[in-house]
Amino acid sequence: MLRSGILLALLAPVFAQQYSAPLRGFPVEDRKAQQELEEHARAIPQADRIRVYMERIASKPHQAGSPASKAVADYLAAQLKDWGLDARIENFEALMPYPTVRVLEMTSPVKFRAELKEPALAEDPSTSEPGQLPSYNAYAATGDVTAPLVYVNYGSPDDYAELRRDGIDVKGKIVIARYGRNWRGVKAKLAQENGAIGCLIYSDPRDDGFYQGDIYPKGPMRPEEGVQRGSVLDMGLYPGDPLTPGWADEAGAKRLPQAEAKSLLKIPVLPISWGDAKPLLEQLGGPLVPEPWRGALPITYHMGAGPAVVHLKVDFDWTVKPLHDVIVTIPGTVDKDRAVIYGNHHDAWVNGASDPASGAAVLMETARTLSTLLRQGWHPKRTIVLALWDGEEFGLLGSTEWAEKHLQELQRGAAVYINSDNTGRGALAAGGSPSLETFMSEVLRDINDPSAPRSLLEAALAAARARRPRATDTPEFHLAPLGSGSDYVAFLDHLGVASLNLGFAGGDAGVYHSIYDTMEWFDRFSDGSLAYGKALTQVMATSILRLADAPVLPFDFASLERAVRVYTDELQRDAQKRPGALDLRGVDTQLARLDTAAKDYDDQLALTMKRVPPPAPEQLAKVNDILQKAEASLLSPQGLPGREWYQNEIVAPGLYTGYDAKTLPGIREAVEAQHYDEANQQARVVAQALRALESKVEEAARLLK
Ligand SMILES: [Zn+2]
């Protein structure tokens, strides 16, 4: 056990004040010991060790499906076992196309053949490692097309509306969109839906190149030949292996024929550098583009179509390849069928020092921190699962297949899922389920900001104040709603597990998904000292200790109610601008009832936490069971309209925004499509979910008595 006397003597002067701070879910008399344990845990992480894992993970290109990805998984598992942890590799399979043919040329009015090559840099030896996957968009269709070119700005629904107003039809054409704003998969999907037969996506220097700062290697931004790889799987329908929607792809599993996989695109798509895009854009005529469509190239931007005619030919090896998830289980001692899960992917498009090694290394150091505590005699009350996912870049493959395989046990016992991905040295970005806002703010209150003498909570509140300089009310801490873009999706949207996504802002836009995302880049332009990596390890270790050991799971349903009310008000305001009648009275009524239930629960929890002796473990187990089910009652079994894999009624990635979250997605997307019957039907589903939640919250309060 911990020699808490010595520890306390060392730490008491600095932290005495903190011991009286609230700790949701802990009896008053346990708080001091818990915060002592956490303080002890936060002293374990070391920046130097984080660097070792990062260098190892990012030393070679290691895309999912390759032997190099398996080698990374083997290294991670061996290291975890070395610390005495129960680590294993769970293998899955998935369709993972690699490129075999990539041709892009302009056939008229002038001939030009695109290089499609990111040059290695003498200043950065990692950029010349063998085994790099050429630049491409995974899950674009095989195709060979020739057509006039049209510039579509970011390729959003509004951009296509603008083109229509200018009399430009993209039907039968090849479009060129720039990266940024919306997710690339949405650009490709909208190109297809608007009738384009091919799609190019390029990185304009205005968004992540010389317009923003010096280019690599002089500065952090994207060089002329830099290309953003990435998936164009239609993850708005469902993530994971396109051939096994809703079930796990293991060796011998039933698979859809490729032609029936709805998340696969039907047109060829290719990402290119601005170096390759400029000659094409220069040969566009037609209307001048509106001012906001203009990038930073020294050309006059026109819409087209043509006179540039381009020939695009791509092909892939459409094979199923292996995935290797590394999973650690630390069994709980009291509430052992319930688990706190923390995951970060390990696969990369190329070397991936920032994405994902920076986050994966933090997970490893968190694992070492927990293993150190275990050796010192601590054991978690709940089970802790640590996961290093494979295949995230292709479409959240490793996490989705794992969640689908373990669906029933996760529905029964997954209390919270915590995710991280690339992390840098900017402000802390914290997204997640609103029921975890109080919990998260209490964690951040207890951790130092690596850049200033203040807590991470104070830093977050200062940032909130800076965003709204004229607001007079004191800023509050809020978690941003989660859309998509990393491995929490299956847990939050398919299983209804309360989730968090945490990391320091990266500043890695200029090298994102390119051969230039290397340790050399990270050292010079991101968290080279790993002070932020260490702070994120402290955040993760503290969060996990607290979630694993809190006698009562720290969900706050008053925060959840407040958040849903904000979303409802937004919808109401939005709908007033449009014709048609949106009726949210049922949702309003339920929110009022939930508010009352949440306050009653909070009063009861406060009483229980002061009670001596505290409630018996069997009683608390029942309460926690109900609390976990409360969160899951936000799922509807029929799912969202047209995409039944997504079952969370409160949040989902937008069908036409991608990474950005849509709150109350069923209602909102119907309102946006001006289908008010469907919107009102969806409002009834939301009201029903809130009613189910309310009854669980009431039950939890009763059980605490
Ligand atoms: Zn990532």
Side-chain angles (χ1 to χ4, degrees):
M1 288 303 287
L2 295 170
R3 286 165 296 160
S4 53
I6 296 168
L7 260 172
L8 189 60
L10 287 170
L11 301 171
V14 185
F15 294 98
Q17 203 192 338
Q18 280 188 11
Y19 288 138
S20 59
L23 213 53
R24 193 173 175 89
F26 285 87
V28 173
E29 61 171 34
D30 291 356
R31 289 178 188 172
K32 192 171 140 190
Q34 177 65 23
Q35 291 192 306
E36 250 177 72
L37 168 72
E38 292 172 2
E39 201 51 49
H40 173 71
R42 285 197 287 273
I44 298 172
Q46 294 171 16
D48 290 355
R49 288 182 182 259
I50 299 175
R51 165 171 299 278
V52 171
Y53 324 134
M54 257 190 98
E55 281 175 350
R56 185 71 191 263
I57 296 168
S59 68
K60 289 185 172 57
H62 58 109
Q63 65 272 13
S66 70
S69 191
K70 178 168 191 304
V72 168
D74 287 340
Y75 153 68
L76 297 169
Q79 177 62 82
L80 291 158
K81 280 183 195 156
D82 224 45
W83 293 327
L85 293 166
D86 173 13
R88 66 191 181 280
I89 293 183
E90 288 194 40
N91 297 305
F92 296 93
E93 296 180 343
L95 182 68
M96 281 186 263
Y98 289 173
T100 53
V101 177
R102 301 175 310 140
V103 176
L104 173 64
E105 54 195 0
M106 179 160 51
T107 55
S108 71
V110 285
K111 295 219 180 314
F112 163 76
R113 191 173 167 116
E115 286 286 323
L116 309 178
K117 175 87 192 122
E118 296 180 295
L121 298 172
E123 297 88 336
D124 182 348
S126 298
T127 59
S128 54
E129 281 286 338
Q132 295 169 350
L133 210 51
S135 50
Y136 79 118
N137 287 129
Y139 303 110
T142 291
D144 185 350
V145 291
T146 302
L149 192 67
V150 179
Y151 175 59
V152 297
N153 193 29
Y154 292 109
S156 70
D158 288 348
D159 294 332
Y160 282 98
E162 176 69 42
L163 285 162
R164 277 193 296 276
R165 278 194 295 277
D166 286 287
I168 314 273
D169 186 359
V170 305
K171 203 163 190 174
K173 312 289 194 310
I174 294 173
V175 299
I176 180 164
R178 56 170 160 159
Y179 268 116
R181 299 280 168 90
N182 52 12
W183 178 56
R184 78 183 82 74
V186 169
K187 298 175 197 284
K189 177 186 166 112
L190 277 165
Q192 175 177 304
E193 289 184 358
N194 280 282
I197 57 170
C199 176
L200 303 171
I201 312 177
Y202 83 103
S203 301
D204 195 285
R206 184 168 191 124
D207 298 292
D208 61 13
F210 61 72
Y211 186 86
Q212 299 292 339
D214 284 322
I215 59 166
Y216 195 58
K218 187 176 177 211
M221 302 315 296
R222 195 176 299 272
E224 178 175 353
E225 308 299 344
V227 183
Q228 182 189 139
R229 288 157 187 73
S231 174
V232 289
L233 189 69
D234 192 353
M235 282 187 267
L237 280 183
Y238 61 91
D241 181 10
L243 306 183
T244 63
W247 68 92
D249 191 341
E250 298 177 273
K254 177 184 83 145
R255 292 189 185 116
L256 296 178
Q258 205 172 305
E260 285 174 30
K262 291 207 186 82
S263 58
L264 292 177
L265 211 66
K266 295 190 169 57
I267 61 170
V269 187
L270 192 67
I272 60 176
S273 67
W274 72 254
D276 278 338
K278 182 166 165 274
L280 309 179
L281 293 168
E282 269 174 334
Q283 298 301 329
L284 285 181
L288 275 182
V289 301
E291 203 282 329
W293 285 39
R294 296 174 197 167
L297 292 174
I299 60 168
T300 306
Y301 287 72
H302 290 265
M303 289 177 175
V309 173
V310 298
H311 170 219
L312 169 65
K313 184 177 178 190
V314 287
D315 200 1
F316 310 92
D317 77 324
W318 289 98
T319 54
V320 164
K321 297 183 176 71
L323 290 166
H324 313 284
D325 289 343
V326 182
I327 308 288
V328 171
T329 307
I330 303 172
T333 52
V334 179
D335 196 9
K336 53 180 170 292
D337 293 332
R338 207 177 311 283
V340 177
I341 307 166
Y342 165 28
N344 194 110
H345 71 100
H346 68 72
D347 67 300
W349 275 124
V350 195
N351 291 60
S354 172
D355 183 8
S358 58
V362 164
L363 188 146
M364 291 298 284
E365 189 61 355
T366 307
R368 191 185 68 84
T369 299
L370 296 175
S371 76
T372 306
L373 295 179
L374 286 165
R375 273 199 308 278
Q376 292 171 345
W378 165 81
H379 291 282
K381 292 192 176 70
R382 297 194 177 91
T383 294
I384 296 168
V385 175
L386 305 175
L388 289 135
W389 310 117
D390 201 354
E392 188 270 355
E393 295 294 2
F394 277 81
L396 318 178
L397 306 180
S399 58
T400 303
E401 299 310 310
W402 189 83
E404 287 172 345
K405 172 171 178 167
H406 299 283
L407 184 93
Q408 280 164 1
E409 53 183 291
L410 291 170
Q411 279 172 336
R412 265 199 314 273
V416 173
Y417 176 72
I418 307 175
N419 191 71
S420 60
D421 201 319
N422 42 339
T423 181
R425 64 164 181 199
L428 183 78
S433 305
S435 57
L436 290 169
E437 269 176 8
T438 304
F439 164 78
M440 202 64 236
S441 70
E442 288 177 356
V443 169
L444 298 182
R445 174 199 66 202
D446 295 345
I447 295 163
N448 294 326
D449 181 344
S451 72
R454 59 181 179 184
S455 73
L456 282 174
L457 179 63
E458 285 163 335
L461 294 176
R465 214 174 286 123
R467 276 195 300 273
R468 303 180 57 214
R470 275 181 298 184
T472 47
D473 49 334
T474 41
E476 294 170 359
F477 174 79
H478 291 298
L479 292 165
L482 292 177
S484 183
S486 198
D487 289 301
Y488 50 80
V489 172
F491 298 92
L492 179 65
D493 296 334
H494 192 56
L495 293 166
V497 178
S499 299
L500 292 165
N501 187 45
L502 306 170
F504 290 99
D508 61 352
V511 294
Y512 175 65
H513 290 185
S514 77
I515 67 166
Y516 310 112
D517 179 3
T518 60
M519 276 314 285
E520 288 83 349
W521 179 91
F522 190 87
D523 274 347
R524 291 180 53 209
F525 302 113
S526 189
D527 185 24
S529 73
L530 289 160
Y532 286 80
K534 183 175 153 179
L536 188 60
T537 310
Q538 293 172 330
V539 171
M540 293 303 188
T542 305
S543 299
I544 290 170
L545 290 177
R546 224 172 261 189
L547 288 167
D549 283 347
V552 178
L553 286 169
F555 297 132
D556 180 346
F557 298 105
S559 298
L560 176 59
E561 188 273 336
R562 261 198 308 277
V564 178
R565 191 172 288 284
V566 169
Y567 309 152
T568 309
D569 291 348
E570 274 168 20
L571 265 177
Q572 201 75 264
R573 274 199 305 276
D574 205 38
Q576 275 162 7
K577 291 183 220 141
R578 301 172 199 235
L582 177 64
D583 183 359
L584 294 177
R585 279 171 301 179
V587 175
D588 277 337
T589 308
Q590 274 313 314
L591 283 173
R593 295 180 55 155
L594 177 59
D595 185 46
T596 307
K599 283 181 180 138
D600 285 353
Y601 172 76
D602 279 356
D603 291 346
Q604 194 54 53
L605 180 66
L607 284 176
T608 309
M609 293 297 94
K610 284 184 209 144
R611 198 186 302 154
V612 184
E618 310 80 68
Q619 188 189 352
L620 292 177
K622 279 189 200 143
V623 174
N624 288 317
D625 210 41
I626 295 298
L627 291 174
Q628 189 191 310
K629 286 197 178 113
E631 191 71 33
S633 57
L634 298 172
L635 295 189
S636 74
Q638 71 270 34
L640 296 176
R643 42 176 180 157
E644 57 281 358
W645 189 91
Y646 284 93
Q647 299 187 341
N648 193 316
E649 290 295 326
I650 304 302
V651 73
L655 262 179
Y656 290 101
T657 53
Y659 283 174
D660 280 357
K662 286 272 176 183
T663 52
L664 304 177
I667 310 175
R668 195 176 294 260
E669 291 195 323
V671 168
E672 284 168 357
Q674 306 201 16
H675 296 155
Y676 286 95
D677 285 350
E678 183 177 292
N680 289 328
Q681 162 59 28
Q682 286 296 308
R684 286 191 285 277
V685 175
V686 169
Q688 231 167 53
L690 292 171
R691 179 183 212 99
L693 171 66
E694 177 218 336
S695 82
K696 293 280 183 273
V697 175
E698 284 169 351
E699 195 178 344
R702 260 197 314 276
L703 284 166
L704 276 179
K705 279 182 186 151

